[in-house]
Amino acid sequence: MGSEMCIRDRNKVNKMSEAYKTVYVGDTAEIVEKKSRFIANLEHVESEEEALAYIETIRKKYWDARHNCYAYCIGKKQELKRCSDDGEPSQTAGKPMLDVLTGAGLCDTVVVVTRYFGGTLLGTGGLVRAYTAAAKAGVEASEVIEKIPAVQFLVKVTYNQIGTLLYLLGQRGYSQLESEYAEDVSVRFLVPLTERASMEKQLLESFQGSAKTEIEDYGYYAKNGKELLLFEEEV
């Protein structure tokens, strides 16, 4: 059982990437350029199928628009990137929007910019600026988070040791998830994956091996203001 757990843990760690940004809650933003309306809609997606389904939803919503251009980045390292000008001159819509996503470091995100033509031609430079501005406005309107790979620790200490443990967590700025006061005190907390080894070493030194430490899970976390968001990592 112990060997199986070690393999499972290694699989999770190997799958996890560095911290990455994504849209947590997508939103809508609109700009107007020479009477043409550019409406940006952003959404969090985790596959190309989800991205294409969202694009189709926006097309149906704005069925009377002349163009629904899009761009999306899928994967924790933006492994899959696609874009479309949807009838606009080549490289004037989809690519500039994709550049906004990649420039902001956004993963697992799709943006669709709908254009209602206002009667005045903008030229290629004007279109690039307009679609870029619309996509940026959409990103600014949306809720963006940074997902950080982390380890969930469970540490059991005596009542005499709990003050030391809480001080240590406070010093490092770690997020405490849960505490249980029974015969001993059990504390669950998150540690960034990159700091796991140093935390284990500090626990060992601080309690001279008397604290019981267990790695319970791996995943991602993000801070949304004062709220702590937890995300599981599937093997």
mmCIF file of all heavy atoms in Angstrom, residues 128-170:
data_model
loop_
_atom_site.group_PDB
_atom_site.id
_atom_site.type_symbol
_atom_site.label_atom_id
_atom_site.label_comp_id
_atom_site.label_asym_id
_atom_site.label_seq_id
_atom_site.Cartn_x
_atom_site.Cartn_y
_atom_site.Cartn_z
ATOM 1 N N VAL A 128 -6.632 45.827 -35.956
ATOM 2 C CA VAL A 128 -5.710 45.222 -34.981
ATOM 3 C C VAL A 128 -5.825 45.934 -33.640
ATOM 4 O O VAL A 128 -5.927 45.295 -32.577
ATOM 5 C CB VAL A 128 -4.257 45.259 -35.490
ATOM 6 C CG1 VAL A 128 -3.287 44.874 -34.374
ATOM 7 C CG2 VAL A 128 -4.083 44.329 -36.682
ATOM 8 N N ARG A 129 -5.833 47.260 -33.669
ATOM 9 C CA ARG A 129 -5.922 48.028 -32.424
ATOM 10 C C ARG A 129 -7.257 47.788 -31.725
ATOM 11 O O ARG A 129 -7.311 47.643 -30.500
ATOM 12 C CB ARG A 129 -5.718 49.520 -32.710
ATOM 13 C CG ARG A 129 -4.278 49.887 -33.068
ATOM 14 C CD ARG A 129 -4.091 51.400 -33.091
ATOM 15 N NE ARG A 129 -4.859 52.018 -34.178
ATOM 16 C CZ ARG A 129 -4.396 52.178 -35.417
ATOM 17 N NH1 ARG A 129 -3.177 51.726 -35.738
ATOM 18 N NH2 ARG A 129 -5.138 52.762 -36.329
ATOM 19 N N ALA A 130 -8.329 47.726 -32.501
ATOM 20 C CA ALA A 130 -9.654 47.563 -31.906
ATOM 21 C C ALA A 130 -9.827 46.183 -31.275
ATOM 22 O O ALA A 130 -10.321 46.060 -30.146
ATOM 23 C CB ALA A 130 -10.734 47.800 -32.962
ATOM 24 N N TYR A 131 -9.432 45.147 -31.985
ATOM 25 C CA TYR A 131 -9.582 43.791 -31.428
ATOM 26 C C TYR A 131 -8.648 43.580 -30.232
ATOM 27 O O TYR A 131 -9.010 42.890 -29.266
ATOM 28 C CB TYR A 131 -9.338 42.740 -32.511
ATOM 29 C CG TYR A 131 -10.552 42.497 -33.374
ATOM 30 C CD1 TYR A 131 -10.653 43.034 -34.655
ATOM 31 C CD2 TYR A 131 -11.623 41.742 -32.898
ATOM 32 C CE1 TYR A 131 -11.775 42.826 -35.442
ATOM 33 C CE2 TYR A 131 -12.748 41.520 -33.680
ATOM 34 C CZ TYR A 131 -12.816 42.065 -34.948
ATOM 35 O OH TYR A 131 -13.940 41.852 -35.721
ATOM 36 N N THR A 132 -7.462 44.182 -30.302
ATOM 37 C CA THR A 132 -6.547 44.102 -29.164
ATOM 38 C C THR A 132 -7.146 44.796 -27.944
ATOM 39 O O THR A 132 -7.147 44.246 -26.832
ATOM 40 C CB THR A 132 -5.191 44.747 -29.511
ATOM 41 O OG1 THR A 132 -4.596 44.039 -30.596
ATOM 42 C CG2 THR A 132 -4.252 44.733 -28.316
ATOM 43 N N ALA A 133 -7.671 45.981 -28.156
ATOM 44 C CA ALA A 133 -8.252 46.749 -27.048
ATOM 45 C C ALA A 133 -9.461 46.039 -26.460
ATOM 46 O O ALA A 133 -9.652 46.022 -25.236
ATOM 47 C CB ALA A 133 -8.644 48.144 -27.530
ATOM 48 N N ALA A 134 -10.285 45.443 -27.320
ATOM 49 C CA ALA A 134 -11.469 44.741 -26.831
ATOM 50 C C ALA A 134 -11.069 43.529 -25.989
ATOM 51 O O ALA A 134 -11.633 43.279 -24.909
ATOM 52 C CB ALA A 134 -12.346 44.311 -28.002
ATOM 53 N N ALA A 135 -10.097 42.763 -26.479
ATOM 54 C CA ALA A 135 -9.646 41.591 -25.730
ATOM 55 C C ALA A 135 -9.043 41.996 -24.388
ATOM 56 O O ALA A 135 -9.307 41.363 -23.350
ATOM 57 C CB ALA A 135 -8.634 40.802 -26.551
ATOM 58 N N LYS A 136 -8.249 43.057 -24.378
ATOM 59 C CA LYS A 136 -7.665 43.535 -23.118
ATOM 60 C C LYS A 136 -8.752 43.983 -22.151
ATOM 61 O O LYS A 136 -8.680 43.720 -20.941
ATOM 62 C CB LYS A 136 -6.701 44.690 -23.390
ATOM 63 C CG LYS A 136 -5.376 44.262 -23.988
ATOM 64 C CD LYS A 136 -4.440 45.451 -24.162
ATOM 65 C CE LYS A 136 -3.079 45.007 -24.682
ATOM 66 N NZ LYS A 136 -2.168 46.174 -24.885
ATOM 67 N N ALA A 137 -9.769 44.662 -22.667
ATOM 68 C CA ALA A 137 -10.869 45.103 -21.812
ATOM 69 C C ALA A 137 -11.600 43.903 -21.215
ATOM 70 O O ALA A 137 -12.034 43.922 -20.054
ATOM 71 C CB ALA A 137 -11.837 45.974 -22.611
ATOM 72 N N GLY A 138 -11.747 42.840 -22.013
ATOM 73 C CA GLY A 138 -12.383 41.627 -21.522
ATOM 74 C C GLY A 138 -11.585 40.968 -20.409
ATOM 75 O O GLY A 138 -12.149 40.496 -19.412
ATOM 76 N N VAL A 139 -10.264 40.939 -20.579
ATOM 77 C CA VAL A 139 -9.396 40.363 -19.546
ATOM 78 C C VAL A 139 -9.496 41.176 -18.258
ATOM 79 O O VAL A 139 -9.616 40.632 -17.150
ATOM 80 C CB VAL A 139 -7.929 40.305 -20.029
ATOM 81 C CG1 VAL A 139 -7.000 39.921 -18.872
ATOM 82 C CG2 VAL A 139 -7.790 39.314 -21.175
ATOM 83 N N GLU A 140 -9.477 42.511 -18.398
ATOM 84 C CA GLU A 140 -9.549 43.383 -17.229
ATOM 85 C C GLU A 140 -10.888 43.252 -16.509
ATOM 86 O O GLU A 140 -10.949 43.361 -15.275
ATOM 87 C CB GLU A 140 -9.312 44.834 -17.650
ATOM 88 C CG GLU A 140 -7.878 45.107 -18.086
ATOM 89 C CD GLU A 140 -7.704 46.478 -18.708
ATOM 90 O OE1 GLU A 140 -8.711 47.219 -18.791
ATOM 91 O OE2 GLU A 140 -6.577 46.801 -19.124
ATOM 92 N N ALA A 141 -11.952 42.986 -17.244
ATOM 93 C CA ALA A 141 -13.273 42.852 -16.632
ATOM 94 C C ALA A 141 -13.443 41.503 -15.946
ATOM 95 O O ALA A 141 -14.253 41.361 -15.022
ATOM 96 C CB ALA A 141 -14.364 43.033 -17.693
ATOM 97 N N SER A 142 -12.687 40.501 -16.386
ATOM 98 C CA SER A 142 -12.820 39.146 -15.853
ATOM 99 C C SER A 142 -12.007 38.980 -14.571
ATOM 100 O O SER A 142 -11.142 39.791 -14.248
ATOM 101 C CB SER A 142 -12.353 38.124 -16.894
ATOM 102 O OG SER A 142 -13.139 38.207 -18.065
ATOM 103 N N GLU A 143 -12.311 37.916 -13.869
ATOM 104 C CA GLU A 143 -11.597 37.594 -12.635
ATOM 105 C C GLU A 143 -10.486 36.606 -12.960
ATOM 106 O O GLU A 143 -10.750 35.459 -13.323
ATOM 107 C CB GLU A 143 -12.577 36.982 -11.631
ATOM 108 C CG GLU A 143 -12.090 36.983 -10.215
ATOM 109 C CD GLU A 143 -13.172 36.560 -9.249
ATOM 110 O OE1 GLU A 143 -14.364 36.809 -9.515
ATOM 111 O OE2 GLU A 143 -12.805 35.939 -8.236
ATOM 112 N N VAL A 144 -9.252 37.063 -12.850
ATOM 113 C CA VAL A 144 -8.084 36.246 -13.173
ATOM 114 C C VAL A 144 -7.418 35.790 -11.880
ATOM 115 O O VAL A 144 -7.244 36.586 -10.950
ATOM 116 C CB VAL A 144 -7.082 37.032 -14.039
ATOM 117 C CG1 VAL A 144 -5.803 36.239 -14.262
ATOM 118 C CG2 VAL A 144 -7.723 37.391 -15.380
ATOM 119 N N ILE A 145 -7.060 34.524 -11.820
ATOM 120 C CA ILE A 145 -6.379 33.991 -10.640
ATOM 121 C C ILE A 145 -5.082 33.313 -11.054
ATOM 122 O O ILE A 145 -4.907 32.928 -12.209
ATOM 123 C CB ILE A 145 -7.250 32.976 -9.870
ATOM 124 C CG1 ILE A 145 -7.641 31.805 -10.779
ATOM 125 C CG2 ILE A 145 -8.465 33.650 -9.270
ATOM 126 C CD1 ILE A 145 -8.353 30.676 -10.065
ATOM 127 N N GLU A 146 -4.187 33.164 -10.094
ATOM 128 C CA GLU A 146 -2.969 32.392 -10.309
ATOM 129 C C GLU A 146 -3.082 31.099 -9.516
ATOM 130 O O GLU A 146 -3.232 31.119 -8.299
ATOM 131 C CB GLU A 146 -1.735 33.167 -9.850
ATOM 132 C CG GLU A 146 -0.435 32.411 -10.124
ATOM 133 C CD GLU A 146 0.800 33.196 -9.729
ATOM 134 O OE1 GLU A 146 0.691 34.078 -8.849
ATOM 135 O OE2 GLU A 146 1.876 32.933 -10.303
ATOM 136 N N LYS A 147 -3.035 29.967 -10.212
ATOM 137 C CA LYS A 147 -3.141 28.662 -9.560
ATOM 138 C C LYS A 147 -1.740 28.148 -9.232
ATOM 139 O O LYS A 147 -0.901 28.001 -10.123
ATOM 140 C CB LYS A 147 -3.907 27.691 -10.459
ATOM 141 C CG LYS A 147 -5.355 28.123 -10.696
ATOM 142 C CD LYS A 147 -6.086 27.233 -11.683
ATOM 143 C CE LYS A 147 -6.439 25.902 -11.105
ATOM 144 N NZ LYS A 147 -7.347 25.132 -11.993
ATOM 145 N N ILE A 148 -1.520 27.887 -7.967
ATOM 146 C CA ILE A 148 -0.193 27.520 -7.472
ATOM 147 C C ILE A 148 -0.187 26.057 -7.041
ATOM 148 O O ILE A 148 -1.036 25.647 -6.240
ATOM 149 C CB ILE A 148 0.193 28.413 -6.278
ATOM 150 C CG1 ILE A 148 0.182 29.885 -6.712
ATOM 151 C CG2 ILE A 148 1.564 28.024 -5.717
ATOM 152 C CD1 ILE A 148 0.291 30.864 -5.564
ATOM 153 N N PRO A 149 0.726 25.245 -7.556
ATOM 154 C CA PRO A 149 0.800 23.842 -7.135
ATOM 155 C C PRO A 149 1.190 23.751 -5.668
ATOM 156 O O PRO A 149 2.084 24.470 -5.208
ATOM 157 C CB PRO A 149 1.864 23.241 -8.051
ATOM 158 C CG PRO A 149 2.681 24.396 -8.509
ATOM 159 C CD PRO A 149 1.768 25.572 -8.552
ATOM 160 N N ALA A 150 0.515 22.878 -4.931
ATOM 161 C CA ALA A 150 0.723 22.837 -3.485
ATOM 162 C C ALA A 150 0.588 21.429 -2.933
ATOM 163 O O ALA A 150 0.051 20.522 -3.581
ATOM 164 C CB ALA A 150 -0.282 23.763 -2.790
ATOM 165 N N VAL A 151 1.094 21.272 -1.712
ATOM 166 C CA VAL A 151 1.007 20.028 -0.960
ATOM 167 C C VAL A 151 0.149 20.294 0.270
ATOM 168 O O VAL A 151 0.303 21.333 0.921
ATOM 169 C CB VAL A 151 2.406 19.564 -0.495
ATOM 170 C CG1 VAL A 151 2.313 18.247 0.249
ATOM 171 C CG2 VAL A 151 3.341 19.447 -1.677
ATOM 172 N N GLN A 152 -0.751 19.371 0.573
ATOM 173 C CA GLN A 152 -1.535 19.491 1.795
ATOM 174 C C GLN A 152 -0.869 18.665 2.900
ATOM 175 O O GLN A 152 -0.768 17.452 2.806
ATOM 176 C CB GLN A 152 -2.969 19.012 1.584
ATOM 177 C CG GLN A 152 -3.846 19.152 2.825
ATOM 178 C CD GLN A 152 -5.289 18.815 2.546
ATOM 179 O OE1 GLN A 152 -5.918 19.397 1.670
ATOM 180 N NE2 GLN A 152 -5.835 17.869 3.302
ATOM 181 N N PHE A 153 -0.402 19.353 3.929
ATOM 182 C CA PHE A 153 0.246 18.713 5.075
ATOM 183 C C PHE A 153 -0.772 18.460 6.191
ATOM 184 O O PHE A 153 -1.685 19.263 6.400
ATOM 185 C CB PHE A 153 1.327 19.637 5.658
ATOM 186 C CG PHE A 153 2.676 19.513 5.024
ATOM 187 C CD1 PHE A 153 2.898 19.911 3.702
ATOM 188 C CD2 PHE A 153 3.746 19.019 5.738
ATOM 189 C CE1 PHE A 153 4.148 19.825 3.125
ATOM 190 C CE2 PHE A 153 5.014 18.922 5.178
ATOM 191 C CZ PHE A 153 5.218 19.319 3.872
ATOM 192 N N LEU A 154 -0.594 17.383 6.903
ATOM 193 C CA LEU A 154 -1.285 17.141 8.166
ATOM 194 C C LEU A 154 -0.201 16.941 9.218
ATOM 195 O O LEU A 154 0.600 16.011 9.125
ATOM 196 C CB LEU A 154 -2.177 15.900 8.100
ATOM 197 C CG LEU A 154 -2.770 15.442 9.447
ATOM 198 C CD1 LEU A 154 -3.701 16.521 10.012
ATOM 199 C CD2 LEU A 154 -3.527 14.131 9.289
ATOM 200 N N VAL A 155 -0.168 17.823 10.205
ATOM 201 C CA VAL A 155 0.836 17.745 11.259
ATOM 202 C C VAL A 155 0.138 17.607 12.605
ATOM 203 O O VAL A 155 -0.777 18.369 12.926
ATOM 204 C CB VAL A 155 1.754 18.989 11.257
ATOM 205 C CG1 VAL A 155 2.732 18.941 12.427
ATOM 206 C CG2 VAL A 155 2.515 19.079 9.939
ATOM 207 N N LYS A 156 0.581 16.634 13.387
ATOM 208 C CA LYS A 156 0.052 16.404 14.731
ATOM 209 C C LYS A 156 1.119 16.748 15.760
ATOM 210 O O LYS A 156 2.234 16.229 15.705
ATOM 211 C CB LYS A 156 -0.389 14.954 14.893
ATOM 212 C CG LYS A 156 -1.576 14.574 14.010
ATOM 213 C CD LYS A 156 -2.015 13.137 14.264
ATOM 214 C CE LYS A 156 -3.205 12.774 13.374
ATOM 215 N NZ LYS A 156 -3.671 11.375 13.620
ATOM 216 N N VAL A 157 0.753 17.646 16.687
ATOM 217 C CA VAL A 157 1.678 18.067 17.736
ATOM 218 C C VAL A 157 0.962 18.030 19.084
ATOM 219 O O VAL A 157 -0.257 17.882 19.156
ATOM 220 C CB VAL A 157 2.208 19.499 17.476
ATOM 221 C CG1 VAL A 157 3.066 19.539 16.227
ATOM 222 C CG2 VAL A 157 1.051 20.488 17.360
ATOM 223 N N THR A 158 1.718 18.192 20.154
ATOM 224 C CA THR A 158 1.121 18.266 21.486
ATOM 225 C C THR A 158 0.593 19.681 21.722
ATOM 226 O O THR A 158 0.904 20.617 20.972
ATOM 227 C CB THR A 158 2.161 17.932 22.560
ATOM 228 O OG1 THR A 158 3.172 18.961 22.569
ATOM 229 C CG2 THR A 158 2.818 16.581 22.288
ATOM 230 N N TYR A 159 -0.178 19.835 22.790
ATOM 231 C CA TYR A 159 -0.702 21.160 23.127
ATOM 232 C C TYR A 159 0.437 22.130 23.455
ATOM 233 O O TYR A 159 0.330 23.327 23.191
ATOM 234 C CB TYR A 159 -1.671 21.050 24.314
ATOM 235 C CG TYR A 159 -3.050 20.583 23.890
ATOM 236 C CD1 TYR A 159 -3.311 19.235 23.683
ATOM 237 C CD2 TYR A 159 -4.088 21.496 23.687
ATOM 238 C CE1 TYR A 159 -4.565 18.799 23.280
ATOM 239 C CE2 TYR A 159 -5.353 21.074 23.287
ATOM 240 C CZ TYR A 159 -5.587 19.725 23.083
ATOM 241 O OH TYR A 159 -6.826 19.297 22.674
ATOM 242 N N ASN A 160 1.509 21.614 23.994
ATOM 243 C CA ASN A 160 2.652 22.470 24.305
ATOM 244 C C ASN A 160 3.386 22.937 23.048
ATOM 245 O O ASN A 160 4.093 23.945 23.075
ATOM 246 C CB ASN A 160 3.650 21.723 25.203
ATOM 247 C CG ASN A 160 3.113 21.496 26.604
ATOM 248 O OD1 ASN A 160 2.265 22.258 27.074
ATOM 249 N ND2 ASN A 160 3.599 20.462 27.272
ATOM 250 N N GLN A 161 3.210 22.201 21.957
ATOM 251 C CA GLN A 161 3.936 22.522 20.725
ATOM 252 C C GLN A 161 3.113 23.346 19.734
ATOM 253 O O GLN A 161 3.663 23.872 18.762
ATOM 254 C CB GLN A 161 4.370 21.220 20.033
ATOM 255 C CG GLN A 161 5.381 20.409 20.813
ATOM 256 C CD GLN A 161 5.599 19.034 20.195
ATOM 257 O OE1 GLN A 161 4.655 18.413 19.696
ATOM 258 N NE2 GLN A 161 6.843 18.559 20.237
ATOM 259 N N ILE A 162 1.796 23.466 19.949
ATOM 260 C CA ILE A 162 0.935 24.092 18.941
ATOM 261 C C ILE A 162 1.318 25.549 18.683
ATOM 262 O O ILE A 162 1.262 26.038 17.557
ATOM 263 C CB ILE A 162 -0.559 23.983 19.323
ATOM 264 C CG1 ILE A 162 -1.437 24.526 18.204
ATOM 265 C CG2 ILE A 162 -0.848 24.675 20.636
ATOM 266 C CD1 ILE A 162 -1.299 23.807 16.885
ATOM 267 N N GLY A 163 1.754 26.251 19.729
ATOM 268 C CA GLY A 163 2.161 27.647 19.545
ATOM 269 C C GLY A 163 3.327 27.773 18.589
ATOM 270 O O GLY A 163 3.362 28.663 17.734
ATOM 271 N N THR A 164 4.277 26.859 18.721
ATOM 272 C CA THR A 164 5.442 26.866 17.822
ATOM 273 C C THR A 164 5.020 26.606 16.378
ATOM 274 O O THR A 164 5.501 27.265 15.445
ATOM 275 C CB THR A 164 6.457 25.790 18.262
ATOM 276 O OG1 THR A 164 6.864 26.055 19.604
ATOM 277 C CG2 THR A 164 7.671 25.779 17.346
ATOM 278 N N LEU A 165 4.111 25.634 16.195
ATOM 279 C CA LEU A 165 3.659 25.316 14.844
ATOM 280 C C LEU A 165 2.921 26.493 14.215
ATOM 281 O O LEU A 165 3.189 26.858 13.057
ATOM 282 C CB LEU A 165 2.738 24.090 14.868
ATOM 283 C CG LEU A 165 2.138 23.682 13.517
ATOM 284 C CD1 LEU A 165 3.231 23.368 12.501
ATOM 285 C CD2 LEU A 165 1.202 22.489 13.673
ATOM 286 N N LEU A 166 2.013 27.112 14.957
ATOM 287 C CA LEU A 166 1.246 28.236 14.412
ATOM 288 C C LEU A 166 2.154 29.425 14.113
ATOM 289 O O LEU A 166 1.953 30.140 13.127
ATOM 290 C CB LEU A 166 0.134 28.646 15.383
ATOM 291 C CG LEU A 166 -0.956 27.585 15.613
ATOM 292 C CD1 LEU A 166 -2.015 28.109 16.584
ATOM 293 C CD2 LEU A 166 -1.602 27.161 14.295
ATOM 294 N N TYR A 167 3.153 29.635 14.930
ATOM 295 C CA TYR A 167 4.118 30.712 14.677
ATOM 296 C C TYR A 167 4.879 30.438 13.384
ATOM 297 O O TYR A 167 5.093 31.331 12.564
ATOM 298 C CB TYR A 167 5.084 30.837 15.845
ATOM 299 C CG TYR A 167 6.168 31.873 15.626
ATOM 300 C CD1 TYR A 167 5.889 33.231 15.719
ATOM 301 C CD2 TYR A 167 7.474 31.474 15.307
ATOM 302 C CE1 TYR A 167 6.880 34.183 15.502
ATOM 303 C CE2 TYR A 167 8.470 32.415 15.098
ATOM 304 C CZ TYR A 167 8.171 33.769 15.192
ATOM 305 O OH TYR A 167 9.150 34.717 14.976
ATOM 306 N N LEU A 168 5.270 29.181 13.204
ATOM 307 C CA LEU A 168 5.996 28.787 12.002
ATOM 308 C C LEU A 168 5.148 29.003 10.749
ATOM 309 O O LEU A 168 5.626 29.531 9.736
ATOM 310 C CB LEU A 168 6.405 27.320 12.110
ATOM 311 C CG LEU A 168 7.118 26.684 10.907
ATOM 312 C CD1 LEU A 168 8.391 27.440 10.591
ATOM 313 C CD2 LEU A 168 7.421 25.220 11.203
ATOM 314 N N LEU A 169 3.879 28.620 10.825
ATOM 315 C CA LEU A 169 2.980 28.813 9.677
ATOM 316 C C LEU A 169 2.795 30.297 9.377
ATOM 317 O O LEU A 169 2.771 30.708 8.214
ATOM 318 C CB LEU A 169 1.620 28.170 9.953
ATOM 319 C CG LEU A 169 1.596 26.655 10.170
ATOM 320 C CD1 LEU A 169 0.158 26.158 10.298
ATOM 321 C CD2 LEU A 169 2.305 25.920 9.047
ATOM 322 N N GLY A 170 2.664 31.082 10.428
ATOM 323 C CA GLY A 170 2.497 32.523 10.238
ATOM 324 C C GLY A 170 3.720 33.159 9.618
ATOM 325 O O GLY A 170 3.612 34.036 8.752
#
